[in-house]
Amino acid sequence: DVHLVQSGAEVKKPGESLKISCKASGYNFTTYWITWVRQMPGKGLEWMGIIHPDDSDTIYRGDYDTMYSPSFEGQVTISVDKSLSTVYLQWNSLKASDTGIYYCARQKGAVVNGHAEYWGQGTLVIVSS
Amino acid sequence: DIQMTQSPTSLSASVGDRVTITCQASQDIGKYLNWYQQKPGKVPQLVIYDASTLQTGVPSRFSGSGYGTDFIFTISSLQPEDVATYYCQQCDSLPLIFGGGTKVEIK
């Protein structure tokens, strides 16, 4: 069975750094794109970015194909540890407006023309002084 | 970026009613439109992809149609377990924008 298990809830102060994780199991990790979605309190879904966990067939050898929404470019970093089958979402300096639930999801199909068929359980991030 | 306009933002209907949600893209996205269901306090789940293909395991009372810029999501006979917020998402080009959501409640 496919599972995406995310790290636990976090409470942080503005200006602090944070890295949350999404561990995949039950399938060939390097075959599917992983996407991140934000949901602010009481609000809708926002697509943040996407990464392909296979660095063996990319334009830039040794790098991972990663794409960001313009709304999140420069605000977060998406990375991967292939050896741990884990994708990460990282902030260098949190803001109160980063408060929300963050979901990872496995994308079936290409980076476009695909769909998020398996989701993690979500990680609640609270940023408050 | 492609903008996705969903309507209505909320609706209330009786059990057994036919429910329709629309989603309009700001430019032609072909068939590349997904629909997700998010029940209160739960994780989003894929319901329909490629505008009209039902995800495995989803009840047949759910359906989708449309192509280009105008799409429709239908629940043919609303059930209590369908109470949720429904989101469309274009997947034709990056960024993969979601619509604002439609909250469906039972009258």
Side-chain angles (χ1 to χ4, degrees), chain A residues 102-124:
Chain A
Y102 293 84
Y103 296 101
C104 64
R106 191 188 88 169
Q107 176 112 334
K108 184 173 183 179
V111 61
V112 291
N113 310 154
H115 45 273
E117 58 174 352
Y118 292 97
W119 293 67
Q121 82 275 21
T123 295
L124 173 64

Side-chain angles (χ1 to χ4, degrees), chain B residues 23-85:
Chain B
C23 186
Q24 185 171 60
S26 59
Q27 64 191 68
D28 190 335
I29 59 171
K31 68 175 182 177
Y32 297 113
L33 192 283
N34 303 322
W35 291 97
Y36 297 91
Q37 174 194 65
Q38 186 178 31
K39 295 182 179 181
K42 301 296 185 183
V43 177
Q45 291 189 306
L46 178 69
V47 181
I48 285 172
Y49 62 94
D50 290 349
S52 61
T53 304
L54 202 62
Q55 171 68 350
T56 304
V58 173
S60 59
R61 63 180 179 274
F62 295 95
S63 65
S65 64
Y67 189 91
T69 60
D70 296 300
F71 299 86
I72 296 173
F73 176 83
T74 301
I75 308 173
S76 61
S77 177
L78 186 66
Q79 300 302 305
E81 60 267 32
D82 301 334
V83 168
T85 300

Side-chain angles (χ1 to χ4, degrees), chain B residues 1-22:
Chain B
D1 297 356
I2 297 173
Q3 302 306 311
M4 305 301 295
T5 303
Q6 226 179 298
S7 62
T9 54
S10 65
L11 66 89
S12 181
S14 300
V15 172
D17 281 355
R18 184 180 184 86
V19 167
T20 297
I21 299 168
T22 65

Side-chain angles (χ1 to χ4, degrees), chain A residues 36-121:
Chain A
W36 284 96
V37 174
R38 180 175 80 173
Q39 188 165 40
M40 298 174 73
K43 301 298 184 184
L45 305 175
E46 299 175 87
W47 185 81
M48 301 178 71
I50 196 166
I51 190 166
H52 198 284
D54 186 1
D55 61 345
S56 65
D57 185 24
T58 63
I59 297 172
Y60 307 105
R61 296 282 176 184
D63 201 354
Y64 295 93
D65 284 331
T66 312
M67 292 136 198
Y68 296 91
S69 164
S71 299
F72 292 94
E73 179 102 52
Q75 308 305 309
V76 297
T77 301
I78 297 172
S79 60
V80 61
D81 186 329
K82 203 163 62 171
S83 68
L84 297 177
S85 298
T86 299
V87 175
Y88 301 94
L89 180 65
Q90 180 176 356
W91 295 260
N92 288 335
S93 180
L94 286 160
K95 301 186 277 288
S97 57
D98 293 318
T99 295
I101 299 174
Y102 293 84
Y103 296 101
C104 64
R106 191 188 88 169
Q107 176 112 334
K108 184 173 183 179
V111 61
V112 291
N113 310 154
H115 45 273
E117 58 174 352
Y118 292 97
W119 293 67
Q121 82 275 21

